[in-house]
Amino acid sequence: MASKQPDRRAFLKRGAALAGGLSLGGVEPALGQTPASDQSDEADDYSTPELIAYGKRSRHVTSVREPVNGRPSPDEFGLVFHIGTPLEEQVGAITPSSLFYSGTTRGSIVPEIDPAEHRLMIHGLVDRELIFTMDELKRFPSVTRLHFIECAGNGSSPRRGRLIESHGMTSCAEWTGVLLSTLLEEAGVQADGTWIVAEGVENVRGASSLPMAKAMDDIIVAYAMNGEPLRPQQGFPLRIVVPGFEGILHVKWLSRIKVVDRFYMTYNDYGHLRQDPDQAALSYQVGPKSVITWPSGGLDLPGAGFYEVRGLAWSGGGVVSRVEVSTDGGENWMDADFRGTPQRMAHTAFSFNWTWDGSEAMLMSRCTDELGQVQPTRAQRKGGLDNSIQPWRVQSNGSVTNGLA
Ligand SMILES: Nc1nc2c(c(=O)[nH]1)N[C@H]1C(S)=C(S)[C@@H](COP(=O)(O)O)O[C@H]1N2
Ligand SMILES: [Mo]
């Protein structure tokens, strides 16, 4: 099945095709969104005490997050809802912290928390109720792992023409914290403790029920992200990261974990998640998924010639073991190359060397994970978070559109 990709020398001979440079459309900030960098002609002075002490990106780099789900953020009351990350500009597996997507379940104002005052309580069906300060948590043995988070609202649709609309609510970071199992062992879980309810400082909105098996396996009580303390929008000073499970379960601004003996219906879970304990673990888990991030809907290719098609693949089932790419709408599939080493429940960057002949093409990617699960087509997909294959149509004039439309 695997066909040979163009080699490096062939690519260099075709380099002329790239000389004109690539023009990207569709990445204008949405109305009402101010780009983080200023666009004035005046050069930035990087020798100011502020920028010596703490840097910022070049004003020539302008990618920004955008509200998604058709909901303004902030809204007229100052509440923020889900904002998506511009994945088409990402290189590699890690999402920069400033561009990490951000989700609040029912709209929220990001809470201002003083870490010196913050406490995590573990209680319920435990031998010892425990209350930790941030400093105490940081004394425990820590883990540092790459994991994606994805909101269940992410999904392909003919109406979602751009990548940020269909896939912008997933990001990947390197998280550091204490395994929840370490803390639960400290507290001593009683025999009937089969579920946990994790809660953020905004109480009912941030609460989620999780099965004990997952809590004892790989949930991280995280205080750091990409080498620095969590960003406030990501849950500063403390959150849980639930590897491979739907985003809503990754409770931010974490203040309480209660060990309980059954699934508890929370404001979050109501009407959204499955509560059958036998089904829960699997149905919370994001299926094998991938998407071509470049080129993607709304972008323009300047003409026929060589392109490195790039994308991301991930699975709640573990390590991504294979990514295939099709340029003809799924008739033929060829293996893509991994960029970096695939990690468990983490975005894996892939690329595929493609020489476009200038005729209409349909780009698709398909992920297989270590469990042998294969990413479904839109017609094959079952329920849960939409992990179906996203087709991008490359028209002969170079414009890229949603292949479902
Ligand atoms: N406390 C709290 N945790 C929360 C939420 C929330 O509103 N409050 N939103 C959830 C949702 S819906 C998602 S998709 C993820 C998003 O995580 P992120 O903002 O770090 O991307 O956080 C989850 N954790
Ligand atoms: Mo979400």
Side-chain angles (χ1 to χ4, degrees):
M1 282 286 267
S3 85
K4 208 170 168 311
Q5 295 196 17
D7 68 22
R8 194 85 196 152
R9 268 160 303 146
F11 160 67
L12 290 174
K13 269 188 249 146
R14 274 186 236 104
L18 293 170
L22 308 176
S23 68
L24 305 183
V27 290
E28 295 289 313
L31 211 63
Q33 292 291 296
T34 320
S37 57
D38 91 71
Q39 288 286 291
S40 70
D41 287 339
E42 223 172 282
D44 278 331
D45 178 2
Y46 287 90
S47 55
T48 62
E50 291 75 24
L51 289 185
I52 294 277
Y54 193 83
K56 68 170 185 181
R57 66 180 177 178
S58 161
R59 67 197 174 94
H60 302 289
V61 179
T62 56
S63 48
V64 289
R65 295 185 291 207
E66 290 175 32
V68 283
N69 275 347
R71 188 125 207 196
S73 188
D75 72 358
E76 57 187 312
F77 305 105
L79 298 178
V80 293
F81 294 88
H82 282 49
I83 46 179
T85 187
L87 291 175
E88 72 275 14
E89 293 174 38
Q90 187 175 310
V91 288
I94 291 180
T95 313
S97 297
S98 294
L99 293 174
F100 202 96
Y101 94 97
S102 179
T104 60
T105 309
R106 297 285 188 277
S108 181
I109 291 173
V110 172
E112 164 70 42
I113 300 175
D114 177 354
E117 300 297 321
H118 192 69
R119 301 287 182 271
L120 170 66
M121 173 159 79
I122 298 191
H123 66 138
L125 300 171
V126 292
D127 296 336
R128 288 166 296 278
E129 249 182 36
L130 298 174
I131 295 177
F132 300 101
T133 64
M134 290 300 298
D135 284 345
E136 284 163 354
L137 287 172
K138 287 179 185 167
R139 287 178 57 184
F140 280 95
S142 63
V143 294
T144 294
R145 293 176 185 169
L146 216 58
H147 288 305
F148 73 84
I149 302 180
E150 179 171 22
C151 178
N154 241 4
S156 300
S157 137
R159 293 183 312 280
R160 293 177 171 174
R162 293 166 56 219
L163 178 68
I164 197 168
E165 296 165 332
S166 56
H167 292 77
M169 289 187 289
T170 183
S171 298
C172 181
E174 186 199 70
W175 306 99
T176 296
V178 189
L179 282 177
L180 178 54
S181 61
T182 305
L183 301 178
L184 288 174
E185 274 155 24
E186 259 325 89
V189 174
Q190 294 173 357
D192 49 350
T194 49
W195 285 81
I196 62 164
V197 176
E199 199 175 81
V201 293
E202 0 85 286
N203 293 333
V204 68
R205 283 183 191 135
S208 281
S209 296
L210 283 156
M212 183 60 74
K214 185 66 174 173
M216 283 302 193
D217 183 13
D218 56 4
I219 294 181
I220 304 172
V221 176
Y223 45 76
M225 161 188 196
N226 293 340
E228 60 177 0
L230 294 178
R231 294 291 177 95
Q233 287 157 320
Q234 268 61 56
F236 180 83
L238 201 63
R239 80 175 306 162
I240 50 171
V241 174
V242 190
F245 277 29
E246 292 180 3
I248 200 168
L249 300 161
H250 300 231
V251 175
K252 303 191 281 190
W253 312 300
L254 178 75
S255 59
R256 220 148 65 106
I257 290 177
K258 185 169 187 180
V259 175
V260 293
D261 59 0
R262 61 182 174 90
F263 173 94
Y264 270 70
M265 186 70 89
T266 70
Y267 191 47
N268 269 1
D269 300 328
Y270 178 70
H272 181 70
L273 297 172
R274 279 67 57 195
Q275 53 176 308
D276 175 350
D278 298 328
Q279 295 285 309
L282 271 181
S283 62
Y284 293 172
Q285 190 173 294
V286 178
K289 188 164 177 178
S290 70
V291 67
I292 290 171
T293 54
W294 200 98
S296 57
L299 305 184
D300 283 297
L301 299 183
F306 176 83
Y307 293 96
E308 183 181 68
V309 172
R310 295 179 201 125
L312 294 169
W314 60 99
S315 174
V319 177
V320 170
S321 56
R322 184 182 195 187
V323 179
E324 298 155 285
V325 166
S326 173
T327 60
D328 57 10
E331 297 270 312
N332 296 286
W333 293 95
M334 292 143 292
D335 279 321
D337 290 323
F338 291 139
R339 295 278 164 259
T341 310
Q343 316 236 352
R344 301 186 76 235
M345 295 90 152
H347 283 176
T348 297
F350 67 84
S351 65
F352 177 78
N353 292 344
W354 182 45
T355 302
W356 181 41
D357 63 9
S359 61
E360 181 165 311
M362 189 74 90
L363 300 179
M364 294 177 165
S365 64
R366 181 167 72 185
C367 169
T368 304
D369 68 16
E370 63 173 313
L371 303 177
Q373 305 185 99
V374 182
Q375 184 177 4
T377 62
R378 199 168 153 78
Q380 291 163 342
R381 92 166 254 253
K382 302 197 180 78
L385 191 151
D386 177 5
N387 65 328
S388 63
I389 291 172
Q390 168 71 52
W392 300 119
R393 177 180 287 109
V394 181
Q395 292 171 357
S396 47
N397 67 2
S399 79
V400 185
T401 57
N402 187 346
L404 298 172

